[in-house]
Amino acid sequence: MTSPLRLPALGLALSLILGGLLFFLADHAYKAGKARQIATQAAASQAARELRRTPQRLAQDRDQANAYAGLGHSGFLGEEDRLDWLGSLAQVRAILDLQRLGWRLSARAPSSLSPGLYSSTMTLEIAPGDTRHLAQFLARLRATAHGLFTVSGCTLLPDADGHSVSCTLEWWTWNAR
């Protein structure tokens, strides 16, 4: 015996199942769309932040490029310019009218400070030597030589003609190859 309500009850059950399935699919699609929207908004916000920082980055890149070019022009980047160093010594000796200027230059050696950094030790004997002559000598050498150096130490030495100075310089170069 079939009940007269059996067919409508079956239709109602199927409608509920189908409605629940459609609701689940619609909810899932809504949540996926919302997640995509949030991700897109986050990406857009990040892009806007990057766009606002672009002028600063361009200025920083320009400054770094100028600094790198300055290091290249100073003789710090690449191979040593030993001939220029020695020519500059002769030029400074003539300008300051030094009686004596002796030098010894070691071979270039890798520095333990950083890969690609090299130094060459130069020992100088300068006469006449006092603090005034030494300061002038170092300032002129920095201004004329194609290279960067640091002074490791200087010693004032008495001699037959008064005083002389013995100095040790470290000439620095960077070769990242």
Side-chain angles (χ1 to χ4, degrees):
M1 197 160 53
T2 58
S3 154
L5 293 177
R6 186 173 211 197
L7 194 57
L10 187 60
L12 177 65
L14 284 175
S15 296
L16 287 175
I17 291 173
L18 184 60
L21 181 61
L22 287 175
F23 177 79
F24 173 77
L25 291 174
D27 185 53
H28 179 70
Y30 172 78
K31 288 179 181 176
K34 194 66 169 171
R36 281 192 305 275
Q37 179 187 16
I38 290 170
T40 302
Q41 286 174 339
S45 295
Q46 179 67 24
R49 279 193 299 276
E50 293 295 323
L51 184 61
R52 282 190 300 274
R53 291 182 11 206
T54 297
Q56 294 167 334
R57 284 189 174 166
L58 287 174
Q60 181 182 12
D61 289 349
R62 194 174 316 114
D63 291 345
Q64 287 176 347
N66 290 337
Y68 189 81
L71 288 172
H73 293 304
S74 73
F76 178 67
L77 300 177
E79 298 300 320
E80 299 175 321
D81 197 352
R82 290 174 169 244
L83 289 177
D84 179 78
W85 300 347
L86 300 178
S88 295
L89 286 176
Q91 184 181 8
V92 172
R93 178 183 184 198
I95 290 170
L96 296 179
D97 196 28
L98 299 174
Q99 295 170 1
R100 181 171 41 97
L101 176 61
W103 56 269
R104 279 188 321 275
L105 185 57
S106 71
R108 183 173 83 157
S111 172
S112 62
L113 298 175
S114 178
L117 185 63
Y118 293 88
S119 70
S120 297
T121 303
M122 178 183 277
T123 306
L124 300 171
E125 299 292 330
I126 306 166
D130 57 31
T131 55
R132 184 178 60 83
H133 277 103
L134 179 60
Q136 287 176 344
F137 177 84
L138 293 173
R140 294 276 182 160
L141 186 59
R142 275 195 175 90
T144 59
H146 187 242
L148 296 177
F149 66 88
T150 56
V151 179
S152 295
C154 290
T155 306
L156 186 62
L157 305 167
D159 62 12
D161 299 325
H163 294 289
S164 65
V165 175
S166 173
C167 282
T168 303
L169 307 180
E170 295 292 332
W171 290 88
W172 298 97
T173 55
W174 179 270
N175 194 342
R177 279 188 257 151

